[in-house]
Amino acid sequence: MTATGPATVPVTAALALGDDALVLSHRLGEWAGHAPVLEEEVALANIALDLLGQARVLLSLAGDEDELAYLREERAFRNLQLVEQPNGDFAHTIARQLYFSTYQHLLHAELAAGDGPFAPLAAKAVKEVAYHRDHAEQWTLRLGDGTETSHERMRRACAALWRFTGEMFQPVEGLDVDWAALESRWLESVTEVLGRATLSLPEGPRTGAWSAGAGRQGIHTESFGRMLAEMQHLHRSHPGASW
Amino acid sequence: MATAAAQRTARPQADGATAGDPAEYQRVFDAAVAADERIEPRDWMPDAYRATLVRQIAQHAHSEIIGMQPEANWITRAPSLRRKAILMAKVQDEAGHGLYLYSAAETLGTGRDELLDKLHSGRQKYSSIFNYPTLTWADVGAIGWLVDGAAITNQVPLCRCSYGPYARAMVRICKEESFHQRQGYELLLALSKGTPEQHAMAQDAVDRWWWPSLMMFGPPDDESQHSAQSMAWKIKRHSNDELRQRFVDICVPQAESLGLTLPDPDLTWNEERGHYDFGAIDWSEFRDVLKGNGPCNEQRLTQRRRAHDEGAWVREAAAAYAAKHTGGTGTTGHDTTGAERA
């Protein structure tokens, strides 16, 4: 579908940022009732809610939030492949949070400092994301520098998601960002946190033929279609209904 | 309201010298309860009072935690982003309520780990209502309106319960629960006034949740084991049947304004009593569900145990990290409770 927002808002960028938040929020919502400790039920739901709030503002800039969330098909979503990755074990969820929240925090800080159309939104979001980033870092430390089992699980999780991290720095049309600088700050931060967690930066490529900016082009991984089927099923079953 | 310290009965403390006269301890306790004062964690209290409170508060906490499941079942399928946000916030609140209540139970000398063990091994129960499945989106609304409505009817009097930490937890919880109940009502209203399919979905949900909600008030007064003692201790303020009647009286006009019917052909206004008369509850179903044979008993406990078991390595990691870096025993608030035990 073609969404048209206010003339001043670059729709491509609103969709990219909005879809990231929407999809990651959904994944975190899947944890409800399954977390390893009650405090994490609260924390993961809290982060999911923050992200959903961001998604609603961003998608509303691009069009109708519910039409965009519930009536687009897989190929029209512009989120990163990283955020659609299944939760896996707690270490996979935390590794995904570490990679993404570090990126999102740096990105929003830069957007908030500028005078583009996303500055006001980013100024609010950056405060929430600072908390998400702290949460991810604290758990990376506990898991990496906890027991042998948790260290190994965290190492594997960081390695498994590593190949999805390159696409975060593919330029997004409509966002005035120094992507190369963002990437080097991200690498520096993640290296530092992993180091403190007694882990090292994973080896291997950060991009591949299917992951270099592919999510932003609507090329997704297999589990994403199933996630959307679940998310959209009820809404699509009652065309035109309000809820 | 809490009595000012100066006006409080002078009371022996739970950890005080055991040399005192037990009859005198009991007399002071009884006087404090009679004067509507709050019993606090360090006060002496009868063992049976402590045990009853531990059982009730723990089961209340367990209900919040198990109660997350039927609603969380719909988070990933919520039909609009607004509804999804409301539902996520609600499930998050329930985890928070569980945490308050476990803390209140811990003031009585037990620990969260111990209570969770009892839940997982089936030695402590949770509210029977959460053994029913959420089959459609409208069930989320029916749970908000009826289940939270019944919970509030039960819990508002607990804000005046004689045990201070429980009463204070209930004040906080009831505020949030009332909000959830209004949201559930509003969700059902949107469905009831929506398409014919949505209306039918709402009616079907209310038909399935009405009787189980009435069972939330517990067995009839003449079969309720703990009622008389709990009322004497002012843990409980009203009988099961009184609260159930109050709930029915509140729901009937609300159902009318929702444009939905309640599935009870015997429901009629009784002018003489000034209350609604209602049909007989199927207590055999209630007993069956309590015994573990409800539609979801197995599933709910299995999921809870699995979350706990699969999370063990995470809790161990947090404890190991804390031991290395702070010399503490854990950072989850979870492993420190042993030190608090009386």
Side-chain angles (χ1 to χ4, degrees):
Chain A
M1 78 183 304
T2 54
T4 49
T8 51
V9 175
V11 170
T12 309
L15 287 180
L17 299 178
D19 287 350
D20 282 351
L22 178 73
V23 171
L24 185 56
S25 166
H26 186 97
R27 284 299 190 207
L28 292 174
E30 293 172 353
W31 270 104
H34 300 271
V37 60
L38 292 177
E39 284 80 356
E40 281 306 296
E41 294 284 1
V42 178
L44 295 172
N46 204 322
I47 296 169
L49 263 173
D50 286 344
L51 291 168
L52 185 53
Q54 294 166 15
R56 294 181 65 191
V57 174
L58 286 157
L59 294 182
S60 298
L61 290 174
D64 178 273
E65 62 176 42
D66 285 336
E67 274 182 36
L68 288 167
Y70 291 100
L71 299 176
R72 272 182 301 162
E73 293 188 357
E74 192 180 341
R75 291 280 284 108
F77 274 81
R78 293 289 176 260
N79 56 284
L80 298 165
Q81 290 184 351
L82 175 68
V83 297
E84 76 202 28
Q85 294 313 303
N87 288 334
D89 68 2
F90 191 68
H92 280 77
T93 292
I94 291 301
R96 192 181 60 198
Q97 287 300 110
L98 177 72
Y99 291 161
F100 183 74
S101 64
T102 303
Y103 157 79
Q104 205 192 12
H105 190 236
L106 294 168
L107 177 62
H108 281 314
E110 185 157 340
L111 292 175
D115 56 3
F118 296 107
L121 168 103
K124 180 175 181 290
V126 79
K127 294 177 196 151
E128 296 170 344
V129 177
Y131 161 77
H132 306 170
R133 183 179 177 176
D134 182 54
H135 174 264
E137 288 185 8
Q138 295 304 319
W139 273 112
T140 301
L141 297 179
R142 288 183 196 138
L143 299 182
D145 192 16
T147 63
E148 265 179 53
T149 303
S150 68
H151 177 90
E152 178 55 17
R153 283 184 183 241
M154 194 63 204
R155 189 196 63 73
R156 265 186 275 155
C158 288
L161 294 170
W162 187 241
R163 67 194 178 92
F164 298 109
T165 58
E167 67 171 331
M168 294 192 282
F169 308 100
Q170 299 288 320
V172 173
E173 185 193 320
L175 292 185
D176 183 20
V177 169
D178 181 345
W179 296 96
L182 192 72
E183 180 164 22
S184 63
R185 270 179 283 146
W186 182 88
L187 268 172
E188 194 183 328
S189 171
V190 169
T191 306
E192 188 269 332
V193 174
L194 291 180
R196 274 193 289 141
T198 72
L199 294 159
S200 46
L201 215 56
E203 289 170 9
R206 293 178 47 229
T207 56
W210 287 94
S211 55
R216 297 283 189 233
Q217 310 304 319
I219 303 291
H220 294 279
T221 50
E222 283 185 349
S223 67
F224 184 57
R226 198 164 283 107
M227 191 204 102
L228 283 188
E230 181 171 343
M231 182 172 106
Q232 297 180 337
H233 165 261
L234 179 59
H235 186 97
R236 284 182 182 273
S237 301
H238 296 264
S242 14
W243 301 93
Chain B
M1 301 290 11
T3 315
Q7 295 170 303
R8 236 179 79 131
T9 320
R11 284 178 229 162
Q13 300 205 333
D15 53 357
T18 47
D21 175 8
E24 174 62 10
Y25 284 8
Q26 181 76 50
R27 195 196 60 73
V28 173
F29 171 84
D30 291 343
V33 171
D36 268 334
E37 290 178 8
R38 291 277 165 76
I39 304 300
E40 296 296 339
R42 289 179 180 283
D43 294 334
W44 182 89
M45 62 188 83
D47 290 344
Y49 176 84
R50 185 183 299 272
T52 293
L53 278 167
V54 168
R55 192 193 69 240
Q56 182 172 338
I57 300 173
Q59 295 187 0
H60 194 160
H62 300 333
S63 301
E64 297 283 357
I65 300 310
I66 297 282
M68 294 168 70
Q69 291 183 31
E71 293 177 287
N73 183 37
W74 280 92
I75 286 178
T76 54
R77 292 176 289 169
S80 74
L81 298 186
R82 174 172 166 266
R83 293 291 178 197
K84 187 172 183 168
I86 290 172
L87 184 56
M88 272 187 185
K90 182 180 179 189
V91 174
Q92 183 193 13
D93 281 348
E94 282 159 2
H97 295 172
L99 287 169
Y100 296 162
L101 288 162
Y102 285 121
S103 298
E106 285 178 345
T107 64
L108 291 159
T110 183
R112 196 209 298 181
D113 287 348
E114 198 178 322
L115 298 175
L116 282 174
D117 267 355
K118 287 183 176 161
L119 169 66
H120 297 154
S121 61
R123 282 176 292 152
Q124 281 180 343
K125 297 193 184 308
Y126 54 88
S127 178
S128 62
I129 194 81
F130 300 119
N131 292 314
Y132 290 87
T134 46
L135 301 177
T136 72
W137 170 249
D139 291 37
V140 171
I143 288 182
W145 177 44
L146 294 174
V147 175
D148 292 341
I152 293 163
T153 309
N154 258 329
Q155 291 172 8
V156 164
L158 287 173
C159 298
R160 296 184 294 122
C161 157
S162 60
Y163 187 59
Y166 192 25
R168 289 188 290 273
M170 291 321 303
V171 171
R172 298 176 66 178
I173 290 173
C174 283
K175 283 181 192 161
E176 291 177 350
E177 292 288 5
S178 318
F179 192 57
H180 298 161
Q181 199 244 354
R182 285 203 297 277
Q183 288 170 329
Y185 180 89
E186 197 254 335
L187 190 164
L188 280 182
L189 190 64
L191 294 180
S192 180
K193 291 185 181 305
T195 65
E197 291 79 10
Q198 286 177 304
H199 182 91
M201 192 193 281
Q203 183 62 59
D204 168 63
V206 168
D207 289 348
R208 283 180 290 109
W209 287 92
W210 172 248
W211 292 108
S213 300
L214 293 190
M215 295 178 200
M216 286 175 68
F217 296 93
D221 292 348
D222 50 13
E223 289 173 31
S224 179
Q225 294 171 25
H226 307 293
S227 276
Q229 183 60 74
S230 286
M231 286 176 77
W233 277 329
K234 295 190 183 170
I235 294 174
K236 223 173 148 163
R237 297 279 178 162
H238 308 278
S239 80
N240 294 353
D241 287 333
E242 269 171 50
L243 291 170
R244 189 168 10 245
Q245 180 71 61
R246 186 180 295 178
F247 178 66
V248 171
D249 291 347
I250 292 169
C251 286
V252 175
Q254 290 182 350
E256 280 165 13
S257 51
L258 278 172
L260 298 171
T261 59
L262 296 171
D264 180 358
D266 297 328
L267 194 63
T268 47
W269 176 250
N270 182 325
E271 191 68 53
E272 203 174 310
R273 292 202 306 125
H275 291 291
Y276 283 93
D277 288 337
F278 55 97
I281 291 172
D282 180 359
W283 291 111
S284 65
E285 175 180 318
F286 178 70
R287 284 188 291 268
D288 235 24
V289 175
L290 276 189
K291 266 188 274 174
N293 301 321
C296 300
N297 297 60
E298 180 62 31
Q299 173 189 334
R300 299 286 186 244
L301 261 189
T302 299
Q303 180 179 325
R304 180 87 269 290
R305 284 194 205 109
R306 185 184 297 141
H308 188 76
D309 293 347
E310 288 179 358
W313 70 273
V314 176
R315 298 190 299 276
E316 284 157 16
Y321 180 82
K324 279 186 224 177
H325 293 273
T326 63
T329 53
T331 53
T332 60
H334 191 85
D335 305 299
T336 56
T337 51
E340 306 286 323
R341 286 174 208 176

